[in-house]
Amino acid sequence: MIDDEELFAADLIGRRLLKVTTAWHHYADDDPSLVHLWLHLESLGPVLFHTPSTGLSLRADQPHGPYAMEEHGSVSVIDDSPDVPVTRFVGQTIRSVRQIDYNDGHVGFTAGLTLQFPSSSIRLLGLVDGLLIAHDQHLGAVEAHLHEDVTLARVMQTSGSCPSQWDAWTTTGQYLYLRYRHGEGTVEQHPSEDVDTWDGGESRLWTSWDDGTDGGQIELTDFLVTAGLRLAPDAEVRTTPPIDPKA
């Protein structure tokens, strides 16, 4: 991996978290604020999460040392940082990376990412020129403007086993391809269910995990829980009709 190389959310999926490094801005008598976060990922190296203005930027980057800022305090860098919630996931593999959007009716932008690990998930947000980690934390009025496209309005099973797979559409109309085979589950985003549209820039991996069973069948409910997806209360769900052995 090349330093300063731009990375994408899908690059993080399937990588084990090895270590966390943080950079904190100290200014006057205020509490220090988190400005940079490096996640050291297996086979990928250190990945810098930072906020150019709003939202998050990801790039390959080695942690730097502490430094002073003229009239703006100083920045300290802590390796193996124990004071951020993401450290609880060290040793675990990133199973899913989901986009978090912000829209208050006037301004809309990609605000951050949800990283899902086997034990639970964590949100990394860049809202106002700073990095905010929100794990099991309600952000008050801001929450009404944050959205993850994880609610399914329509699901159609296309194969019952070996693999178990479904076509699915979120409440915003995004098409997802759900698949489980050899114990591995994946969620892929594509422009539509037409496979001829799957090679463009709108296609990407959302989720990948391996449960170690080498199985080829899974119930939709179990798949959705593991993938971090859910059904809308009025969701349309169609299952594959049973095969008639006499046919």
Side-chain angles (χ1 to χ4, degrees):
M1 188 172 63
I2 303 172
D3 281 354
D4 213 33
E5 176 186 358
E6 182 183 3
L7 298 175
F8 301 94
D11 295 328
L12 311 182
I13 297 173
R15 311 285 186 172
R16 187 162 63 95
L17 178 60
L18 303 177
K19 187 172 67 171
V20 178
T21 300
T22 54
W24 299 84
H25 182 198
H26 305 262
Y27 182 71
D29 296 327
D30 296 337
D31 291 334
S33 59
L34 180 64
V35 291
H36 288 153
L37 171 75
W38 289 267
L39 298 186
H40 300 254
L41 300 174
E42 190 173 40
S43 303
L44 194 60
V47 177
L48 171 63
F49 292 71
H50 72 115
T51 57
S53 55
T54 53
L56 287 183
S57 173
L58 279 64
R59 71 170 190 262
D61 181 80
Q62 294 292 332
H64 53 69
Y67 59 91
M69 303 171 65
E70 292 185 10
E71 300 181 2
H72 295 286
S74 62
V75 171
S76 63
V77 178
I78 302 175
D79 214 2
D80 292 314
S81 182
D83 296 325
V84 290
V86 71
T87 57
R88 67 180 293 179
F89 301 108
V90 168
Q92 297 187 35
T93 299
I94 298 174
R95 174 178 288 172
S96 177
V97 181
R98 302 189 299 270
Q99 180 174 300
I100 304 171
D101 294 320
Y102 177 94
N103 195 316
D104 61 7
H106 302 285
V107 177
F109 58 91
T110 300
L113 298 171
T114 292
L115 306 186
Q116 183 180 349
F117 294 87
S119 61
S120 60
S121 61
I122 190 166
R123 295 184 297 174
L124 307 179
L125 295 164
L127 295 176
V128 185
D129 201 22
L131 182 63
L132 170 67
I133 297 179
H135 175 71
D136 295 335
Q137 177 184 352
H138 194 280
L139 301 178
V142 174
E143 288 288 351
H145 307 310
L146 298 177
H147 174 72
E148 288 185 53
D149 201 12
V150 295
T151 305
L152 304 182
R154 183 177 172 219
V155 181
M156 299 183 65
Q157 188 173 30
T158 56
S159 176
S161 63
C162 299
S164 294
Q165 62 185 28
W166 299 263
D167 290 329
W169 291 262
T170 70
T171 52
T172 65
Q174 174 61 58
Y175 168 75
L176 301 176
Y177 172 55
L178 319 181
R179 191 171 191 264
Y180 178 83
R181 187 180 188 185
H182 299 315
E184 181 178 353
T186 55
V187 179
E188 299 174 10
Q189 168 190 312
H190 297 291
S192 74
E193 67 273 29
D194 182 354
V195 296
D196 290 336
T197 68
W198 290 15
D199 293 330
E202 296 179 60
S203 295
R204 71 177 184 90
L205 180 67
W206 270 31
T207 304
S208 178
W209 79 88
D210 190 333
D211 61 20
T213 66
D214 200 36
Q217 185 172 8
I218 189 172
E219 295 297 326
L220 176 62
T221 301
D222 294 332
F223 185 100
L224 296 183
V225 168
T226 306
L229 300 171
R230 58 177 177 264
L231 293 174
D234 58 348
E236 176 188 357
V237 179
R238 296 185 183 180
T239 58
T240 301
I243 297 175
D244 184 351
K246 298 180 180 180

